[in-house]
Amino acid sequence: MRTIHTEGIRKSFGKKEVLCGIDISIAEGEIFGLLGPSGAGKTTLIKILTGQLTPDSGSALVFGKNAAAMEGSDRRRIGIMMDNFGIYERLSCMDNLLLFAKLYRLPPAAAEKALAEVGLSEAAKREARKLSKGMRSRLQLARAFMTAPDILFLDEPTSGLDPSMADEIHELILKKKEEGCTVFLTTHNMAEAYKLCDRTALLNDGVIVECGNPAEICRRHDSRCEMHIRLRSGQEIVCPKDARSAETVAAYLREDAIETIHSTEPSLEAVFMALTGRKLM
């Protein structure tokens, strides 16, 4: 079942066309990543899918309905995390969530549950302005989790975080997927996309230049199709990645002679650079 579907989405600001005919279809329970550099159009697409912007042309359907015309009952099925979206600096963590709970007619217990879910119960009374960047990101996630959403829209959720804190955010996202939540994730971090996403679309200047499972994309663009073998003797062996090398590799394995073996699939970043001539950062 598709939870998000777009056809021919176009959006311009002034003379600049930011999205140039976007077609995507996202299944229920899938983590879908939109990977691209800053200014590629990622945030604009999220704003269209969440009804914050209207496309110039094309259709954007969420839960089978026009995203721009979603009613309150459907909007409560969506959780959004975007930059400082919905964070009030002088309010405590708990008061931030209680305010949001009132807007969505949720009981106070929903705020307590969301804080516990992201590990911020002990910081409930701390003002948002006194939070570390990692804690702020978790508070934003708590806000997105409060309505028990069917779809999460996460715009650069780990931007600026250190690796250990990013891993904590990743675990929270993967837990939501296990619960059946669909996740639409934007990032310019190719390692994050590779780790989290069932499918990833590479977006450049408003155009999707490639789409698929991250590992499949990398294999698809492996022009060298080689294996690089380092033997325990220090010798480096390069052989084709096909049946012709089967006996050679088997012989080295029988002799316990192999120290490392690697295939030549490029990274997502290398694929993006090959297709667009630019870096993701």
Side-chain angles (χ1 to χ4, degrees):
M1 179 179 177
R2 297 180 304 189
T3 54
I4 298 171
H5 182 72
T6 75
E7 291 184 4
I9 292 292
R10 291 183 176 272
K11 183 66 180 179
S12 297
F13 296 105
K15 295 182 179 180
K16 180 176 176 56
E17 190 171 36
V18 178
L19 297 175
C20 313
I22 301 297
D23 300 325
I24 58 173
S25 188
I26 303 173
E28 183 178 348
E30 179 178 23
I31 298 182
F32 183 89
L34 193 60
L35 185 63
S38 298
K42 304 187 302 295
T43 300
T44 298
L45 183 56
I46 276 191
K47 288 184 175 180
I48 287 172
L49 292 173
T50 55
Q52 300 174 66
L53 286 175
T54 302
D56 298 332
S57 61
S59 64
L61 302 179
V62 178
F63 305 123
K65 302 174 184 177
N66 185 339
M70 280 190 294
E71 298 179 351
S73 59
D74 286 322
R75 292 190 183 279
R76 280 192 288 273
R77 298 175 65 192
I78 291 174
I80 308 171
M81 178 183 175
M82 301 181 69
D83 198 17
N84 288 327
F85 191 68
I87 300 298
Y88 295 92
E89 298 295 329
R90 293 183 179 276
L91 293 182
S92 68
C93 293
M94 178 60 76
D95 286 341
N96 262 286
L97 295 192
L98 287 174
L99 177 60
F100 180 66
K102 288 180 180 179
L103 291 174
Y104 279 86
R105 299 179 181 178
L106 298 171
E112 296 176 7
K113 180 181 177 182
L115 280 179
E117 193 170 8
V118 301
L120 285 180
S121 294
E122 294 184 1
K125 295 182 180 180
R126 190 179 305 181
E127 290 182 2
R129 61 180 175 171
K130 297 180 180 179
L131 298 175
S132 67
K133 188 168 180 60
M135 294 174 75
R136 176 182 291 272
S137 293
R138 282 190 278 162
L139 179 58
Q140 290 173 288
L141 275 178
R143 182 192 185 283
F145 290 173
M146 278 188 64
T147 60
D150 294 312
I151 300 178
L152 275 173
F153 289 95
L154 307 178
D155 192 16
E156 304 277 1
T158 61
S159 178
L161 298 183
D162 63 68
S164 62
M165 184 54 66
D167 283 343
E168 290 184 20
I169 299 298
H170 292 164
E171 291 306 312
L172 291 170
I173 294 170
L174 290 170
K175 182 179 178 183
K176 283 299 175 185
K177 172 185 166 62
E178 291 174 2
E179 294 171 0
C181 188
T182 303
V183 180
F184 185 100
L185 169 78
T186 73
T187 182
H188 59 253
N189 184 329
M190 63 92 181
E192 180 170 82
Y194 201 97
K195 175 181 178 180
L196 295 178
C197 298
D198 299 298
R199 285 189 304 132
T200 298
L202 307 186
L203 185 69
N204 182 55
D205 289 335
V207 176
I208 292 177
V209 296
E210 179 62 282
C211 185
N213 174 270
E216 290 176 357
I217 290 175
C218 294
R219 288 194 294 269
R220 197 153 56 229
H221 291 270
D222 183 8
S223 59
R224 296 168 67 183
C225 291
E226 295 174 343
M227 289 183 291
H228 290 198
I229 302 172
R230 179 180 175 83
L231 302 182
R232 298 188 189 280
S233 65
Q235 183 181 0
E236 300 279 352
I237 306 293
V238 178
C239 53
K241 192 170 58 177
D242 57 31
R244 291 173 292 171
S245 302
E247 184 51 41
T248 299
V249 175
Y252 286 133
L253 287 171
R254 284 194 294 268
E255 296 169 6
D256 194 24
I258 294 177
E259 185 174 80
T260 63
I261 183 167
H262 300 283
S263 56
T264 55
E265 293 95 342
S267 67
L268 280 175
E269 178 141 17
V271 171
F272 189 87
M273 288 184 67
L275 292 173
T276 68
R278 63 187 295 196
K279 293 184 178 180
L280 284 166
M281 301 297 286

